Amino acid sequence: MSRAFPPRNTNICDISSKIIKELSHILDVAAPVSGWRELIDAIPEDMFDTYEVEQIAMKMYSKESPTYALMYKLGTRGKTVQDLISYLDTMRCERALMFLRNYEPIVITRQPVGSISVMERKTLHIECEATGFPYPRYQWFKGQKEIKCATEPKLVIEDIRLEDEEKYSCRIHNNRKETVTFTKPTVVKVIPNPEAVNNREVIYARSSISERVKTTTKSTPAIHQFQPAALVQSPLRQDAPVITEHPVQQEILCLQPLRLTCNARGAPILQYQWHKDGISLPGATQNMYLVEKTTVADYGVYTCVVSNGVGEARSTEANVRIVAPIPGPGMSSVMPKIIQHPKTALVPAGSIVQFQIEATGMEPLKYQWFKDRVEMPGETGKKLQLQPDVGKHTYYCSVSNPCGTVHSKSGDLSVYHPRDQEYTATDKVVLLIGNNMYKNERPLYAPKNDVRVLADAFEQIGYRVVSLLNLTLDEMLNAVDIFCSLLDKGVYGVFYFVGHGFEKQGQCYLVPWDAPAAYGIDQCLCAEYVLVEMQKKNPALSVLMLDVCRRENENADRDQITTYKPDVRGNTVFFYSTSFGLQAFEEEPCQDSEESRNTVSGIFVKHFKKYIHLEKDVVNVFNDVVKAIKSDRSASDIQFPELRSNLRDDRCLTDKIVYQGHTRAYTKRYFQWKAAHELPQPQTVTFPEFDITVQLDYQKLFSNAMNVFATVVNPGRATESLAWLTDIPPTVCVEQSIVVQPYHVPRTLTVITDLQRLQEPLIVLLVLTVKINGQKQECRRSVNLGEPLVAPLQLRKPRTTGRKEPTEQDEARYVNTHYR
């Protein structure tokens, strides 16, 4: 069976896990010539700095794959399978390429010359070239006999002899019998050398043609050639140095010995000089360079220069990496290891705070404290004591010894004035929008679950919740208008969006569910526009939570950007679930099942739901979320939330509602909100021909989605009966229709979504099937469900003049809808 290769335009992140696993097996253990570090070196652009590379390296100490981490980083930088093939091809890493590259037959691109004449005792050069994949294998022949060690495209035979006259050819293959081919033969003529007549027998005695073959490929082990000692030491012989064994790159543990070897041949006597990072090493003048106990100072690039009176040769570079060992059972710590980190603290002004750190490792250990990444002069002990001013600062400590330096986790110190005022709201409203079933983008699992979780949480702390799934741009704009019509002075307003998004010129854009494949700014909702509309109503608190990616979108370059400048009122908190240029993530389902997908949560909501009920000011709640994500092993290295705030008052999401003095406005908002959350009244449908009664009940899932239960409450004469809904208008969506408890009370569940797209009352057919006296029969009834939930608000109406604010007539219509 042929192997399926990923398309070359596939993003590396989308390569199958099976292939990534195979690549990891190869590249994780293939050092020093074809490992993951060499893959980084093969990337033409300077993509990773030293810190990122060492972060990848640390994966092996937690029994993770550095290659897997590297592949992920390449994918997030937009690299494709074609790019990866190019890098691996530069490395000539055939084993890895076998999982990515199709078979290519042998094609000889350069034939050796037809004939050649060479003087005895000189060097013979014959060369050919071929392409194919797997890479071509070469074997040179003298006549019909293989020449040992002659396995490179170029055949180089030193000290050519009269007996070497013959036809030479090369067999080329790439592991497939049917692709074995031979080059055209080269006829070699050896011209006798008069100077070799007297000592020909001595010279020819002990070296065969295989011993005189010279290899040139770096990856091929050097071949040590035998030469008579008298000839090597002869003062008559003068040869420039030729390196036969290069130093190899190494990755060794701190305090372990380092040995680098460089061998060469030439005459007269050779002299060696080792260099590190381009600087000569004093006293390092032997063919072997030895360090008995290495430290981090030995980390670097080594070369060896070999010289004599005739010439000079420089070895290839050898990268030496010094790795501090991670202590295991029975091992003592060598590199510093921090066993107690500074702890985060929230204290009132005037408090004395003490941070403390504990570390182990080879003595002496040196400590240095930092505040907001700036070194604190004189603070070089295990403990740091201070009496800070009001505000928030980050402290951490570095610990170093000869084997290296490590940094502690950061301890955040927040100093606040004790809350001397209890704040209240005249009302609290939240708009939750989640887009997951994208028409032209990758569908998401978390938005539906996250909106449901947050809707329940905000309801518990007194908010009027509007929760909507899968909106178009017009529907999103109209939802924002209606949401802002519920805001006013003294009201707390919270806006949350989860789905796909991007950022352009400092503004964040939210992608509707039906955005075209090459969507840009004009097809998306700008989050800053939402804040502008909210600020027009001067609420006591404006909170925006954006759970979207913030990478740039190249398609946005074609659109004219409108810059929105929200009013600064000291009431705003802007929380992004990730930082600019990065992605936001959701959990992976444990199993490929609907039940498992219904439990998937986004990283932000996974932690925010734990803090939303705290009686703590909004900024500190979000700070707690940031710390929780930082401590989450599954998210700490991939998601970095960002918080912006100009909030002057210590307002909490849990502040109480006090509407005295605002009763009329409070009542108006109540009716506006209630108009979007009216369910049909439970109703009974009778089928007198069967003497059967069916009960219809309704349950709100979201503001634009509901469950409809059809229960046979009186089966009459039927031995079997079941009722369900059908012929639902195509403007809305039936997400699922299932049988619930069929063997006890015959009942079905139908989930109807996208109710905002209803253009008229929702009329459906209720189908009843029964079995009476062994015969199956069916009956249908038309049922009018009215305009449930958000349907009366006409979110579907097109926006003909851009983004407009609701008029007083619009608000009156929303209020009157309650009385239909």
Side-chain angles (χ1 to χ4, degrees):
M1 182 180 294
S2 61
R3 178 178 290 163
F5 296 91
R8 295 203 173 192
N9 61 351
T10 301
N11 186 282
I12 292 177
C13 285
D14 296 327
I15 297 176
S16 71
S17 59
K18 182 178 180 180
I19 292 179
I20 294 294
K21 185 177 180 180
E22 294 292 344
L23 296 179
S24 298
H25 287 163
I26 295 168
L27 298 174
D28 282 352
V29 299
V33 294
S34 57
W36 61 268
R37 287 186 185 271
E38 286 63 41
L39 177 57
I40 293 177
D41 294 338
I43 300 173
E45 59 265 42
D46 191 12
M47 187 175 297
F48 300 102
D49 57 29
T50 303
Y51 176 78
E52 285 183 292
V53 174
E54 295 310 315
Q55 284 291 104
I56 295 172
M58 292 305 292
K59 295 293 183 181
M60 60 185 173
Y61 298 118
S62 57
K63 297 183 179 181
E64 298 178 55
S65 167
T67 300
Y68 185 91
L70 174 58
M71 294 298 164
Y72 175 78
K73 288 181 179 291
L74 288 171
T76 57
R77 285 162 168 80
K79 298 303 178 182
T80 64
V81 171
Q82 178 60 53
D83 296 317
L84 181 57
I85 289 175
S86 174
Y87 307 151
L88 293 171
D89 196 40
T90 300
M91 298 167 57
R92 305 289 286 183
C93 188
E94 183 179 271
R95 287 180 59 204
L97 284 168
M98 295 292 285
F99 295 92
L100 301 170
R101 186 172 172 181
N102 287 306
Y103 169 75
E104 298 171 15
I106 291 292
V107 176
I108 298 177
T109 58
R110 180 180 177 182
Q111 292 280 1
V113 295
S115 63
I116 188 170
S117 297
V118 60
M119 181 71 71
E120 182 186 14
R121 295 292 311 279
K122 298 300 181 180
T123 302
L124 171 67
H125 296 267
I126 310 176
E127 190 170 357
C128 68
E129 287 181 0
T131 61
F133 187 81
Y135 296 126
R137 272 69 168 170
Y138 300 84
Q139 176 60 61
W140 285 93
F141 284 74
K142 176 186 175 184
Q144 300 297 319
K145 187 177 181 180
E146 285 187 5
I147 305 173
K148 292 183 179 179
C149 304
T151 56
E152 298 177 5
K154 189 173 184 178
L155 174 64
V156 180
I157 303 177
E158 298 179 325
D159 270 348
I160 199 73
R161 305 172 180 180
L162 297 177
E163 63 191 48
D164 294 331
E165 262 193 10
E166 184 58 270
K167 290 182 179 180
Y168 290 80
S169 60
C170 185
R171 182 184 68 199
I172 308 175
H173 72 95
N174 61 353
N175 290 343
R176 292 211 177 182
K177 293 181 179 180
E178 65 270 23
T179 64
V180 172
T181 186
F182 281 82
T183 64
K184 296 178 180 179
T186 296
V187 178
V188 175
K189 176 70 175 177
V190 180
I191 303 172
N193 187 342
E195 297 179 2
V197 172
N198 296 328
N199 59 353
R200 187 174 290 156
E201 292 182 359
V202 176
I203 296 174
Y204 287 5
R206 297 182 58 186
S207 59
S208 66
I209 188 172
S210 297
E211 293 175 301
R212 290 179 283 120
V213 172
K214 181 180 179 181
T215 58
T216 59
T217 304
K218 292 181 181 179
S219 61
T220 303
I223 300 174
H224 300 277
Q225 301 183 19
F226 173 80
Q227 292 180 340
L231 183 59
V232 174
Q233 299 297 331
S234 171
L236 298 177
R237 180 160 184 149
Q238 294 190 357
D239 290 328
V242 176
I243 295 177
T244 58
E245 181 180 356
H246 293 267
V248 296
Q249 61 186 24
Q250 300 180 37
E251 187 170 286
I252 58 178
L253 295 177
C254 182
L255 299 183
Q256 296 299 308
L258 165 65
R259 292 183 179 86
L260 294 170
T261 302
C262 179
N263 284 315
R265 58 180 174 80
I269 296 175
L270 303 176
Q271 296 178 340
Y272 295 83
Q273 177 60 60
W274 287 90
H275 296 75
K276 175 179 176 289
D277 298 329
I279 301 174
S280 297
L281 293 169
T285 56
Q286 302 296 321
N287 68 327
M288 178 180 287
Y289 178 70
L290 174 64
V291 179
E292 292 290 348
K293 290 186 177 181
T294 54
T295 68
V296 290
D298 296 308
Y299 188 112
V301 178
Y302 291 79
T303 56
C304 185
V305 176
V306 186
S307 61
N308 61 12
V310 182
E312 177 181 285
R314 182 178 296 270
S315 73
T316 58
E317 294 182 344
N319 291 302
V320 174
R321 299 180 176 90
I322 308 300
V323 180
I326 302 299
M331 293 179 59
S332 60
S333 178
V334 178
M335 187 174 177
K337 180 182 179 182
I338 297 174
I339 58 177
Q340 179 180 328
H341 295 266
K343 296 181 179 179
T344 293
L346 176 66
V347 299
S351 302
I352 296 177
V353 180
Q354 178 175 284
F355 289 110
Q356 185 169 347
I357 187 172
E358 292 291 340
T360 61
M362 186 179 69
E363 298 290 347
L365 294 175
K366 297 181 180 180
Y367 301 85
Q368 177 60 61
W369 286 92
F370 293 79
K371 175 184 177 182
D372 297 332
R373 297 186 176 274
V374 178
E375 186 176 303
M376 301 176 69
E379 299 296 346
T380 57
K382 294 183 178 181
K383 297 179 180 180
L384 173 65
Q385 192 171 34
L386 64 159
Q387 187 174 8
D389 297 328
V390 172
K392 179 183 177 182
H393 300 282
T394 299
Y395 297 84
Y396 69 91
C397 185
S398 68
V399 185
S400 60
N401 69 6
C403 285
T405 301
V406 295
H407 295 86
S408 72
K409 296 178 180 178
S410 298
D412 293 332
L413 176 60
S414 298
V415 182
Y416 63 92
H417 286 300
R419 198 177 185 196
D420 52 8
Q421 179 179 350
E422 291 296 325
Y423 293 95
T424 60
T426 58
D427 208 346
K428 298 194 292 187
V429 186
V430 59
L431 172 60
L432 309 172
I433 299 177
N435 289 343
N436 67 322
M437 299 302 294
Y438 279 91
K439 188 175 181 180
N440 294 298
E441 265 281 14
R442 179 176 62 87
L444 304 171
Y445 298 130
K448 178 179 176 181
N449 305 323
D450 288 348
V451 169
R452 181 190 297 117
V453 168
L454 291 186
D456 291 342
F458 276 106
E459 283 179 357
Q460 291 177 25
I461 56 176
Y463 279 77
R464 303 194 194 283
V465 177
V466 180
S467 57
L468 300 165
L469 291 184
N470 298 317
L471 301 187
T472 65
L473 177 58
D474 286 342
E475 291 166 353
M476 291 169 69
L477 288 166
N478 290 325
V480 169
D481 285 349
I482 295 173
F483 166 63
C484 291
S485 73
L486 299 175
L487 303 181
D488 204 348
K489 187 175 182 179
V491 177
Y492 288 10
V494 178
F495 174 83
Y496 169 78
F497 178 85
V498 56
H500 288 298
F502 64 91
E503 188 157 327
K504 191 68 177 178
Q505 295 188 10
Q507 298 191 143
C508 202
Y509 293 87
L510 317 178
V511 182
W513 81 274
D514 65 339
Y519 56 79
I521 289 172
D522 292 343
Q523 292 81 37
C524 300
L525 174 64
C526 181
E528 282 67 23
Y529 161 77
V530 177
L531 181 56
V532 166
E533 296 301 300
M534 292 174 67
Q535 292 295 75
K536 289 179 180 178
K537 296 305 184 80
N538 195 21
L541 177 65
S542 293
V543 178
L544 282 86
M545 303 181 296
L546 304 182
D547 200 354
V548 297
C549 297
R550 295 176 65 193
R551 300 172 73 178
E552 288 209 356
N553 175 8
E554 61 183 15
N555 295 316
D557 294 335
R558 65 173 186 254
D559 298 330
Q560 182 70 33
I561 296 179
T562 301
T563 301
Y564 296 97
K565 296 182 179 180
D567 294 337
V568 178
R569 302 183 184 274
N571 65 342
T572 304
V573 178
F574 221 131
F575 186 85
Y576 302 90
S577 66
T578 193
S579 297
F580 171 70
L582 300 180
Q583 294 175 289
F585 293 87
E586 60 182 25
E587 298 175 309
E588 290 290 336
C590 298
Q591 299 175 350
D592 187 17
S593 65
E594 188 67 25
E595 181 179 0
S596 180
R597 287 190 286 270
N598 285 337
T599 63
V600 169
S601 176
I603 299 299
F604 165 64
V605 171
K606 173 184 176 182
H607 297 286
F608 178 58
K609 66 183 181 183
K610 298 182 289 188
Y611 300 98
I612 188 173
H613 302 93
L614 297 181
E615 294 186 6
K616 184 184 289 189
D617 68 88
V618 182
V619 172
N620 278 310
V621 166
F622 285 127
N623 281 331
D624 289 343
V625 175
V626 172
K627 296 169 192 172
I629 294 176
K630 180 181 177 182
S631 301
D632 186 339
R633 291 186 177 181
S634 66
S636 60
D637 291 337
I638 59 175
Q639 190 155 328
F640 303 88
E642 183 178 334
L643 174 63
R644 301 178 187 176
S645 173
N646 60 18
L647 190 62
R648 294 181 299 183
D649 301 328
D650 297 332
R651 295 187 181 272
C652 305
L653 294 172
T654 55
D655 285 340
K656 296 178 180 179
I657 296 175
V658 177
Y659 56 82
Q660 282 80 0
H662 307 274
T663 304
R664 184 175 179 180
Y666 180 84
T667 303
K668 179 182 177 181
R669 278 190 298 273
Y670 167 75
F671 284 123
Q672 285 182 251
W673 172 83
K674 198 171 188 303
H677 295 84
E678 290 280 10
L679 283 167
Q681 292 296 318
Q683 51 188 302
T684 300
V685 181
T686 59
F687 295 83
E689 58 269 45
F690 302 132
D691 195 22
I692 289 178
T693 302
V694 177
Q695 176 77 28
L696 294 179
D697 297 289
Y698 310 92
Q699 178 187 44
K700 179 177 76 71
L701 280 176
F702 303 97
S703 299
N704 64 339
M706 67 177 180
N707 290 333
V708 182
F709 296 95
T711 308
V712 179
V713 293
N714 176 20
R717 297 178 290 113
T719 55
E720 295 180 12
S721 58
L722 193 66
W724 69 91
L725 299 185
T726 186
D727 285 2
I728 297 172
T731 51
V732 297
C733 177
V734 179
E735 190 169 292
Q736 61 182 7
S737 185
I738 60 175
V739 177
V740 182
Q741 297 177 335
Y743 301 108
H744 303 285
V745 178
R747 191 183 199 192
T748 60
L749 165 64
T750 302
V751 181
I752 303 177
T753 62
D754 300 334
L755 292 171
Q756 77 279 5
R757 298 187 189 124
L758 273 178
Q759 300 176 4
E760 55 190 13
L762 178 58
I763 298 176
V764 301
L765 282 180
L766 176 63
V767 180
L768 174 68
T769 60
V770 298
K771 189 174 184 179
I772 300 176
N773 299 326
Q775 293 186 345
K776 288 189 176 181
Q777 302 181 53
E778 181 179 290
C779 191
R780 302 185 173 208
R781 292 283 189 276
S782 178
V783 179
N784 189 341
L785 304 185
E787 295 180 287
L789 300 177
V790 299
L793 303 186
Q794 300 181 18
L795 297 184
R796 69 183 184 281
K797 63 183 179 180
R799 304 281 292 213
T800 56
T801 58
R803 302 170 172 86
K804 79 176 190 68
E805 193 173 351
T807 63
E808 293 182 5
Q809 290 80 6
D810 289 330
E811 293 182 359
R813 176 173 56 80
Y814 301 146
V815 174
N816 293 336
T817 304
H818 173 68
Y819 299 102
R820 288 184 183 179

